[in-house]
């Protein structure tokens, strides 16, 4: 029923998506009730959030911070747990209706599986989960009758375009990409770019991992794979177009040639709110788009010679099996090493490419195969980094 409150678990509540989700929740106390909050390391913010939103339980993944969180929340009636396993078990609590997965990277996989197994709907902000194990996740969701609502702005746009289209098949989707801070640059210019340049996204304010991925176009590559699984598409039904203004968030083309797009100012609170509030559109005081301030919206082809990651992601998608898992694990190491000044900007793609060549291919991976592929790829990536 539309009038009933939704009971939410937010995994990764202290990150960029998590904090914006709590803004959405705070603006709609009649719609949402926070039941679980989890954080990796930011104990102080987790404590503040818990005091404000009074969840049923909180989890601090870093176990060394347990005493601090426990002590601070002692006067409140809030359960406190620690460790990754605790995250995977709190998502199964009876009281939860929907789990917002805003964890970074591969760490989102296990809790998402647990939440789906317990029949919880998913608001998916953690795209890596679908990149790593899209077949397994979507199969499990179908089995359990669970809905996966996209939070990624491009996928939310496509989802919004599809509302009301019932069984009308998608001819293709067009994912828009801002092009990031290095759009238009060539390889020679990218040899020496620094992490602080890469961390300056022109349109979006996001966490470090996705910001670096945006600069390298890996983010769009991951989103292509994410879209395949969310919307049941083939690789050749997914097109990427660079749209530097980030106003059109993505488009769907139907078999009668009609194209639908979703537009708006870049603001992650909208896709978060749409995913949590679906099927209702809730009020929002977010700034409105003003056409007079955007006299031209422009489009260009992505430069996959310079930004090889996008081509590598398509290749991983074509090859299937555990290849997207390899791509993701290698990229997670690449971003980490780039942020630690141990890898240059262009070397990130090189590392991913080498891992895709060297890790053994598994055609129909089980969960265990994915876990093993992730582990093996990370170890290999660290080894290769030392030689680059
Ligand atoms: Mg996105």
């Amino acid at each position: 029923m539309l009038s009933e409150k939704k009971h939410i678990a937010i995994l990764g509540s202290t990150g960029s998506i998590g904090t914006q989700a709590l803004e959405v929740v705070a603006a709609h106390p009649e719609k949402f009730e926070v039941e679980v909050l989890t954080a990796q390391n930011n104990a102080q913010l987790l404590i503040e959030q818990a005091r404000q939103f009074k969840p049923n339980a909180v989890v601090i993944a870093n176990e060394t911070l347990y005493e601090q969180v426990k002590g601070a929340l002692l006067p409140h009636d809030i359960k406190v747990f620690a460790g990754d396993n605790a995250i995977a078990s709190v998502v199964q609590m009876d009281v939860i209706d929907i789990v917002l997965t805003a964890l970074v990277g591969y760490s989102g996989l296990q809790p998402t599986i647990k939440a789906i197994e317990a029949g919880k709907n998913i608001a998916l902000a953690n795209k890596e989960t679908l990149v790593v194990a899209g077949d397994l996740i979507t199969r499990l969701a179908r089995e359990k009758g669970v809905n996966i609502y996209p939070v990624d702005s491009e996928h939310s746009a496509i989802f919004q375009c599809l509302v009301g289209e019932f069984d009308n098949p998608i001819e293709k989707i067009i994912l828009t990409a801002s092009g990031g801070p290095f759009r238009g640059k060539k390889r020679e210019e990218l040899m020496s770019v620094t992490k602080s340049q890469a961390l300056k996204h022109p349109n979006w304010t996001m966490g470090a991992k996705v910001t670096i991925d945006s600069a390298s176009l890996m983010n769009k590559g991951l989103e292509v794979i994410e879209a395949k699984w969310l919307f049941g598409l083939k690789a050749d039904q997914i097109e990427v177009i660079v749209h530097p203004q980030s106003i059109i968030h993505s488009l769907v083309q139907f078999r009668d040639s009609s194209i639908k797009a979703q537009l708006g100012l870049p603001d992650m609170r909208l896709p978060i709110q749409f995913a949590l509030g679906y099927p209702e559109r809730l009020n929002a005081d977010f700034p409105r788009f003003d056409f007079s301030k955007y006299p031209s919206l422009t489009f260009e082809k992505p430069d996959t010679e310079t930004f090889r990651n996008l081509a590598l992601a398509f290749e991983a998608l074509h090859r299937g099996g555990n290849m997207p898992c390899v791509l993701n694990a290698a990229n997670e190491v690449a971003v980490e090493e780039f942020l630690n000044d141990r890898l240059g900007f262009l070397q990130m793609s090189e590392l991913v490419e080498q891992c895709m060549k060297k890790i053994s291919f598994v055609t129909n991976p089980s969960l265990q195969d994915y876990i093993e592929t992730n582990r093996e790829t990370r170890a290999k990536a660290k080894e290769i980094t030392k030689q680059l």
Side-chain angles (χ1 to χ4, degrees):
M1 282 214 313
L2 295 184
S3 57
E4 269 180 27
K5 271 194 188 183
K6 287 186 184 170
H7 297 260
I8 304 176
I10 301 179
L11 311 187
S13 66
T14 58
S16 174
I17 295 287
T19 51
Q20 294 181 83
L22 286 172
E23 281 183 48
V24 167
V25 167
H28 300 278
E30 75 295 353
K31 293 285 179 192
F32 305 120
E33 187 79 46
V34 176
E35 299 293 352
V36 169
L37 297 172
T38 83
Q40 185 64 40
N41 286 309
N42 195 341
Q44 199 45 51
L45 183 53
L46 181 66
I47 291 163
E48 284 167 32
Q49 291 176 338
R51 285 179 178 146
Q52 184 184 348
F53 291 92
K54 314 236 173 336
N56 198 307
V58 302
V59 183
I60 182 82
N62 181 341
E63 294 179 33
T64 64
L65 300 168
Y66 173 72
E67 292 301 331
Q68 183 191 346
V69 178
K70 179 80 190 161
L73 296 179
L74 216 46
H76 305 269
D77 185 23
I78 298 171
K79 300 181 199 82
V80 179
F81 303 103
D84 290 327
N85 290 337
I87 297 179
S89 62
V90 288
V91 295
Q92 301 199 317
M93 282 168 51
D94 281 342
V95 68
I96 298 167
D97 301 314
I98 184 163
V99 178
L100 172 65
T101 62
L103 298 161
V104 180
Y106 176 84
S107 66
L109 180 64
Q110 299 278 11
T112 307
I113 291 175
K114 293 289 179 198
I116 297 173
E117 281 175 347
K120 312 300 185 191
N121 286 324
I122 305 291
L124 187 94
N126 174 244
K127 68 192 84 187
E128 290 90 340
T129 290
L130 281 184
V131 172
V132 170
D135 57 338
L136 193 147
I137 295 286
T138 49
R139 208 181 326 127
L140 189 61
R142 268 195 307 276
E143 249 172 63
K144 299 286 174 184
V146 156
N147 294 316
I148 301 178
Y149 302 110
V151 170
D152 212 342
S153 62
E154 295 78 358
H155 306 73
S156 174
I158 291 161
F159 179 43
Q160 293 181 55
C161 292
L162 291 174
V163 170
E165 293 292 347
F166 307 101
D167 292 329
N168 286 328
I170 296 171
E171 188 167 81
K172 70 171 182 182
I173 63 165
I174 300 117
L175 291 175
T176 54
S178 69
F182 303 139
R183 182 177 61 89
K185 293 219 185 313
K186 292 293 164 204
R187 293 187 72 81
E188 312 77 74
E189 303 169 84
L190 291 178
M191 306 265 270
S192 57
V193 293
T194 63
K195 67 180 174 199
S196 67
Q197 289 171 297
L199 283 168
K200 277 198 197 86
H201 196 277
N203 305 334
W204 295 94
T205 312
M206 308 175 287
K209 164 76 168 46
V210 55
T211 305
I212 298 301
D213 283 345
S214 294
S216 71
L217 280 203
M218 182 56 94
N219 183 52
K220 212 48 56 180
L222 300 177
E223 288 180 352
V224 166
I225 302 172
E226 180 187 15
K228 176 214 158 69
W229 294 113
L230 278 173
F231 305 110
L233 302 168
K234 298 196 185 75
D236 61 6
Q237 288 178 289
I238 307 170
E239 190 179 317
V240 172
I241 191 89
V242 174
H243 165 49
Q245 297 81 22
S246 296
I247 296 300
I248 298 181
H249 297 308
S250 279
L251 314 89
V252 182
Q253 180 174 307
F254 296 94
R255 59 181 167 184
D256 59 356
S257 83
S258 178
I259 295 178
K260 283 167 85 173
Q262 187 262 336
L263 287 75
L265 291 169
D267 186 333
M268 281 310 294
R269 291 173 301 177
L270 175 62
I272 293 167
Q273 176 170 304
F274 190 78
L276 295 178
Y278 184 82
E280 254 189 300
R281 281 194 188 272
L282 307 177
N283 285 330
D285 59 4
F286 311 149
R288 264 49 177 172
F289 179 68
D290 177 353
F291 279 86
S292 68
K293 289 192 179 133
Y294 289 85
S296 70
L297 298 178
T298 61
F299 308 92
E300 56 197 69
K301 266 194 168 337
D303 174 2
T304 51
E305 302 271 299
T306 305
F307 299 92
R308 305 232 28 248
N309 282 343
L310 184 56
L312 291 171
F314 268 105
E315 186 190 325
L317 181 56
H318 278 292
R319 290 172 68 187
N322 64 338
M323 224 13 88
C325 177
V326 172
L327 172 98
N328 179 71
N331 181 59
E332 287 190 20
V333 173
V335 172
E336 211 176 281
E337 299 288 22
F338 175 69
L339 289 172
N340 287 327
D341 300 314
R342 286 194 289 257
L343 210 56
F345 186 78
L346 292 175
Q347 288 177 318
M348 289 195 287
S349 317
E350 214 176 303
L351 181 59
V352 172
E353 187 169 19
Q354 287 206 30
C355 287
M356 284 172 69
K357 283 198 185 114
K358 286 179 177 151
I359 300 294
S360 38
F361 184 69
V362 183
T363 316
N364 283 311
S366 63
L367 177 58
Q368 206 45 50
D369 292 324
Y370 286 125
I371 293 170
E372 185 51 31
T373 298
N374 178 65
R375 197 198 55 73
E376 200 188 320
T377 308
R378 282 170 179 276
K380 178 61 78 184
K382 294 218 162 113
E383 196 187 302
I384 298 172
T385 300
K386 291 196 191 114
Q387 298 153 12
L388 282 175

